[in-house]
């Protein structure tokens, strides 16, 4: 029997600056009208400040409107960024992660999807040096050892590699160290799909024999063409797992609007991530 999953990403929800609320509500209506087996939210659930408890609570309440099972993962705007140059000088920390987990639940998890195993990982931990990094990697090693020949679909926030050979890591991807540690942790596992978010674009490609799917944001896009040949439209990704096969497609619930982050920023100076997005 087929198992259907809807991936929602980069919802950037806030009660005070509610740019993404209407689009997210449109996604909730579409999901509830045609329920999948699971919704997976791949990070940046709250707007832009990892220490903003009000935005975190608002986002959590909005997700409660889903009438289907769902799982969530943190993004850099939820628990802080990775790497030597974290966004806005806000690194991932144990305290920020703990606050997120208190509101949302575990930041790594596994779910059965027929013949498949769906694995959610906290991409900000790989290469972070935090104690939770070792805990997640040990859990993942046990999980992959017990999975045997089952195909795995791995969900995480940041795309898992550095784009060009020799290019320094930047905030668009996991760090080179983080990516190496993720690959080491998944060594020997039958990973078929890596599903991520973060870049607010839809795209699929192949990496080391794995299919990599980027989910778009439900909230907004940056202006201009994508240098990565991605599709800049708000929406979601639907996956259908059946037997050993998987299919995926971009979906756009009725009522969604392609908000331009630069226009939003001009209307609200406190939208602190605005300077970064036009480069994507």
């Amino acid at each position: 029997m087929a198992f259907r999953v809807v991936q929602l990403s980069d919802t950037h929800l806030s009660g005070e600056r509610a740019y993404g609320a209407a689009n997210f509500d449109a996604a909730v209506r579409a999901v509830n009208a045609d329920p999948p087996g699971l919704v997976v939210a791949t990070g940046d659930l709250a707007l832009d400040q990892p220490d903003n408890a009000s935005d975190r609570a608002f986002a959590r309440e909005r997700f409660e409107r889903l009438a289907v099972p769902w799982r969530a993962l943190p993004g850099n705007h939820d628990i802080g960024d990775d790497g030597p140059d974290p966004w806005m000088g806000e690194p991932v920390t144990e305290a920020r992660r703990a606050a997120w987990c208190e509101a949302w639940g575990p930041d790594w998890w596994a779910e059965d999807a027929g013949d498949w195993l769906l694995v959610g990982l906290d991409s900000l931990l790989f290469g972070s040096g935090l104690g939770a990094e070792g805990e997640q990697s040990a859990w993942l090693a046990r999980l992959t050892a017990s999975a045997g020949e089952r195909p795995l679909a791995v969900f995480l926030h940041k795309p898992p590699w550095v784009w060009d050979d020799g290019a320094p890591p930047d905030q668009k991807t996991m760090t080179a160290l983080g990516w190496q540690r993720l690959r080491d942790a998944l060594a020997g596992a039958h990973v078929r799909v890596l599903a991520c978010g973060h870049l607010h674009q839809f795209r699929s490609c192949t990496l080391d024999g794995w299919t990599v799917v980027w989910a778009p944001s439900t909230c907004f896009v940056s202006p201009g063409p994508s240098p990565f040949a991605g599709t800049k439209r708000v929406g979601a990704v639907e996956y259908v797992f059946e037997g050993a096969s998987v299919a995926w497609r971009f979906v756009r619930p009725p009522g969604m609007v392609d908000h331009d982050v630069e226009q939003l920023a001009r209307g609200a100076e406190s939208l602190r991530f605005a300077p970064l997005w036009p480069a994507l």
Side-chain angles (χ1 to χ4, degrees):
M1 178 179 292
F3 189 92
R4 193 161 58 90
V5 173
V6 172
Q7 181 187 2
L8 304 177
S9 198
D10 298 86
T11 56
H12 291 286
L13 291 166
S14 168
E16 181 182 355
R17 296 172 288 162
Y19 314 113
N23 275 357
F24 183 76
D25 291 348
V28 169
R29 289 192 299 271
V31 165
N32 290 347
D34 185 17
L38 183 70
V39 167
V40 177
T42 48
D44 285 355
L45 310 179
L47 181 55
D48 65 341
Q49 298 175 13
D51 300 320
N52 190 320
S54 176
D55 281 359
R56 186 162 53 243
F58 179 86
R60 184 66 170 80
E61 184 277 328
R62 239 22 184 219
F63 269 84
E64 288 294 341
R65 302 182 183 194
L66 288 166
V68 300
W70 57 272
R71 285 281 205 170
L73 296 166
N76 53 294
H77 290 299
D78 298 313
I79 63 172
D81 205 4
D82 58 1
D85 183 27
W87 182 86
M88 290 297 295
E90 296 175 338
V92 57
T93 66
E94 293 284 13
R96 287 170 171 155
R97 173 182 171 265
W100 188 91
C101 290
E102 182 178 1
W104 294 93
D107 55 342
W108 61 77
W109 44 260
E111 294 280 351
D112 288 310
D115 293 331
W116 285 71
L117 186 62
L118 311 181
V119 181
L121 297 175
D122 186 339
S123 65
L124 284 312
L125 291 180
F126 289 99
S128 69
L130 298 179
E133 178 185 0
E135 295 172 15
Q136 177 176 235
S137 294
W139 171 87
L140 184 56
R142 295 191 298 270
L143 181 75
T144 56
S146 65
E149 299 298 314
R150 295 182 72 182
L152 271 62
V154 177
F155 292 84
L156 63 169
H157 178 62
K158 279 196 172 184
W161 74 93
V162 178
W163 294 111
D164 300 314
D165 291 340
D170 61 24
Q171 297 158 337
K172 299 181 185 68
T173 70
M174 296 175 67
T175 64
L177 175 61
W179 170 224
Q180 183 61 56
R181 289 186 175 174
L182 174 60
R183 285 194 297 177
D184 291 346
L186 291 172
H190 292 268
V191 178
R192 295 276 303 281
V193 177
L194 288 172
C196 59
H198 186 58
L199 293 180
H200 292 219
Q201 301 172 43
F202 172 71
R203 183 191 183 211
S204 61
C205 56
T206 301
L207 174 69
D208 292 346
W210 303 342
T211 294
V212 181
V213 180
W214 301 356
S217 170
T218 65
C219 185
F220 58 76
V221 297
S222 60
S226 166
F228 312 120
T231 298
K232 290 187 175 183
R233 298 186 69 198
V234 298
V237 180
E238 179 188 71
Y239 303 84
V240 178
F241 300 92
E242 188 166 16
S245 299
V246 59
W248 61 92
R249 66 185 181 113
F250 171 88
V251 293
R252 183 181 172 92
M256 278 193 157
V257 176
D258 290 322
H259 296 299
D260 182 322
V261 67
E262 287 192 348
Q263 293 179 0
L264 293 177
R266 283 193 289 270
E269 292 181 359
S270 57
L271 191 62
R272 300 189 299 145
F273 45 60
L276 296 181
W277 290 103
L280 299 183

